[in-house]
Amino acid sequence: MGNYFSTLNAGARRVVEEIEYDPQDPDAAIQAVIDRRGLDGFQWRVWWVAASGFFTTSYSIFSVNVISKALDYVYHSDSPLIISLPTLSGTVAGAVLFGFLADRYGRKSVYGLELAIVIVATIGMTTASEGAGSMNVYGWIVFWRLLLGVGLGAEYPLSAIISAEWSSTRSRARMMAAVFLMQSIGQLAAYGFGLAVLVGLSNQLGLAHDETNEEIARPKIDAIWRIIIGIGAFPALISLVLRRTIPETPYYLVEKGRVTDAVAAARRVYAPEVILQPTGQDDISPSQTVSNNSPTEKARDSRTGWWSKTTEYFRDVGKYLAAHSRWRTLLGVMLTWFLLDLAYYGLGLDNPKTIHAIWQAGPSPIDPNRPIYEELQEIIVRNIITILSGTLPGSIIILLAIDYVPRVTWMIWTFIALAVLFAINGGTLFVVFETDRHALTIVLYVLAQVIFNLGPNTMTFILPAELFGTRYRGTFYGLAAAAGKLGAITILPIINYTVHNNEPERKLGDKLAGTLVGFVPAMLLGAFITWVWIPEVQFPRGHYEVVSRDENMSDDGLNDDEEGPTFREKLKLPNRPLAHIAQDPEGGQVIGIRRNLARLFRRTNGGSRASMAESGGAQGSMRVNSLISHHPTHSQAYDGHASGLDTGDLGVRSAGGNNAVFMPLMGTANMEPHPNVARENNYYE
């Protein structure tokens, strides 16, 4: 992993001493810095800021599984939903609220606020008490977990926005996948610290492993769960400090008309040693600002009533969603996240009863005298094994492969793979439950955890941050994340009150198997929605830029020995710039149920046409003569100075040319020619 990221170090190349940019072309102005060849590598500073917060979210959510059994033991309750549902409900509210606030007042304005909420709520829960018998401890726990959920929910859109808007186009997918890796790391940390605290504190407090006397064990177990929860405040505090060190994202500053500030912010993070030079102007100071809001406009805005502003806002949202089928894309990311979390939380690592049922090899009657230490240790160890063998490998594999697979198409096929696995696992569970062949169930379950993070779980985190414009990115991402948590809120009561309802063990196995089979249509529906409503966010494989070279090339930050894309680069599917996706999210792709079904029907009945497409692709490439109107590109990238925007263009292009030659499409879904594109072969078919 270290070698993988070290190759992305932006400092590995000699960068330019001066960067020119055009303040009148905002997108190109930002890309002049963050997408410049030599500066566009993986930014560790950005990753630490985003990943630390997401680690906190994961730790706090999944530590519930560690402490729920301890709470039941200490306070004589048997309802894990008392902790889970308030947390998830708060997460829904936090994702929507803070997503909107980040769009309305700026990302930096709410940076850290959600983490302050997490710290306060975590400390509050660790001090929850019954008093002298005058209070209900679960009342306090519900309150603090609800408040904690607001902070955790806010972290979803904010972490995604930070990583997406502060990444170069070339490194955006790696950055977001690396941030999402923190979910698996946070899960592992929750159980790892839980085991360490259980063992260490038990030894220190004198809790014997076989202790069954509640009067002796309860005070010690009470201290253990409070320390496990309280640990979550420390990464939140670290992340809070880091969040205050990073400027407002350049994309948001551009959205507000502050182009010069945006470029200066990008320079501060990516290239503090270079000089920014506006085209045709003298050197600038980073504090200079270009704003579209005149004093008259600001005064007029201040006189506008709250209701008028709200009405105008929702009217603008409606217009935005109506254009380019964006409403379909929004529904697509919301529904796929909802369907994913139905299965993920229904069978996931936050449900100790499900984990116990899957792991047990035979009938396991409840033993009221079983030591609480053994129960807690068993829960933690089983989850650690599952994470290390399934969840974490899936996250690592997709991090390494993220640039080599088409994200939307990959999500389709991994949804289908999950459907197949659930069908097999559910079918076999009817037979092998509580037998010596139960290892098959464990293997299939772990494999499902691999595919969760290898596909939909990671992609649903990444795609909503890429598919929408800066003005609404936080709001729509918050809606998508909230939809996912609504899926969790929907499935957890069903699982707890229909599957785990204290019926005989044999019926538990049948119900659990039926639940697995029931997730099959949900996964297939997720694949279908992805196919018809979510556009691809990458260029075809083989898209790369050929830059004209001259004797001064090295002064522009490029390696004199570089002879074009390497074999590894040719295998990648470059990311579309955020500005391009915002302006034309469809990108010539087919979006919509009827259009995709009609297209599929035509292909099914047009074998000869498919054969012609193959022969056309083999004979040559396609010449595009009107790409600028289809996918806007910026003159900054091709002004003869070789600024090196790896992904600012749409194909293989000469620095001074207006035409782009594309390589044949490999691995992108739903692609159709744009009306402005002159085809020479069936590139999109």
Side-chain angles (χ1 to χ4, degrees), residues 316-482:
D316 291 343
V317 169
K319 292 178 181 178
Y320 180 83
L321 290 176
H324 298 286
S325 297
R326 290 190 183 97
W327 67 270
R328 291 186 176 93
T329 302
L330 178 59
L331 280 180
V333 295
M334 291 177 65
L335 289 175
T336 51
W337 207 331
F338 176 88
L339 293 168
L340 166 69
D341 278 3
L342 281 178
Y344 188 75
Y345 280 84
L347 301 174
L349 303 178
D350 66 328
N351 197 325
K353 292 182 178 180
T354 299
I355 295 288
H356 174 75
I358 288 174
W359 276 80
Q360 68 186 39
S364 56
I366 298 176
D367 181 6
N369 296 319
R370 188 183 184 191
I372 184 61
Y373 181 95
E374 291 183 4
E375 289 192 60
L376 292 175
Q377 186 182 51
E378 180 183 77
I379 291 171
I380 294 172
V381 170
R382 285 176 173 177
N383 279 280
I384 289 176
I385 294 173
T386 304
I387 294 169
L388 290 175
S389 58
T391 307
L392 186 58
S395 294
I396 293 174
I397 293 171
I398 193 58
L399 172 60
L400 299 176
I402 192 71
D403 285 331
Y404 301 92
V405 297
R407 291 194 278 283
V408 174
T409 305
W410 185 252
M411 187 162 79
I412 294 172
W413 286 109
T414 46
F415 262 128
I416 294 173
L418 284 171
V420 172
L421 268 179
F422 288 149
I424 297 173
N425 204 352
T428 57
L429 190 60
F430 282 110
V431 179
V432 304
F433 184 70
E434 291 185 342
T435 70
D436 56 2
R437 293 172 291 173
H438 79 292
L440 176 63
T441 300
I442 297 175
V443 170
L444 292 174
Y445 176 78
V446 169
L447 185 57
Q449 295 299 321
V450 173
I451 297 179
F452 269 132
N453 279 15
L454 191 62
N457 204 22
T458 301
M459 299 310 167
T460 51
F461 175 80
I462 294 176
L463 290 173
E466 298 182 296
L467 288 166
F468 305 105
T470 304
R471 185 177 184 185
Y472 303 111
R473 183 171 290 123
T475 301
F476 294 160
Y477 194 102
L479 290 173

Side-chain angles (χ1 to χ4, degrees), residues 73-87:
Y73 181 81
V74 173
Y75 298 108
H76 300 291
S77 173
D78 186 22
S79 181
L81 298 183
I82 290 180
I83 304 175
S84 299
L85 290 185
T87 306

Side-chain angles (χ1 to χ4, degrees), residues 194-242:
L195 183 60
V197 171
L198 176 65
V199 174
L201 205 59
S202 295
N203 293 334
Q204 182 177 352
L205 298 178
L207 176 63
H209 296 184
D210 57 353
E211 181 63 68
T212 58
N213 188 327
E214 282 194 14
E215 296 301 321
I216 297 175
R218 282 181 62 195
K220 300 174 176 61
I221 297 299
D222 187 58
I224 287 171
W225 78 257
R226 293 177 189 275
I227 292 176
I228 293 172
I229 287 294
I231 288 173
F234 289 98
L237 181 61
I238 294 172
S239 182
L240 176 61
V241 174
L242 291 174

Side-chain angles (χ1 to χ4, degrees), residues 93-94 108 211 252 267 281 315 329 352 370 489 511 540 601 621 657 665:
K108 188 172 178 61
E211 181 63 68
Y252 185 82
R267 166 187 177 260
Q281 301 181 36
R315 189 161 48 240
T329 302
R370 188 183 184 191
I489 292 172
K511 288 183 177 180
F601 180 79
S621 58
L665 173 66

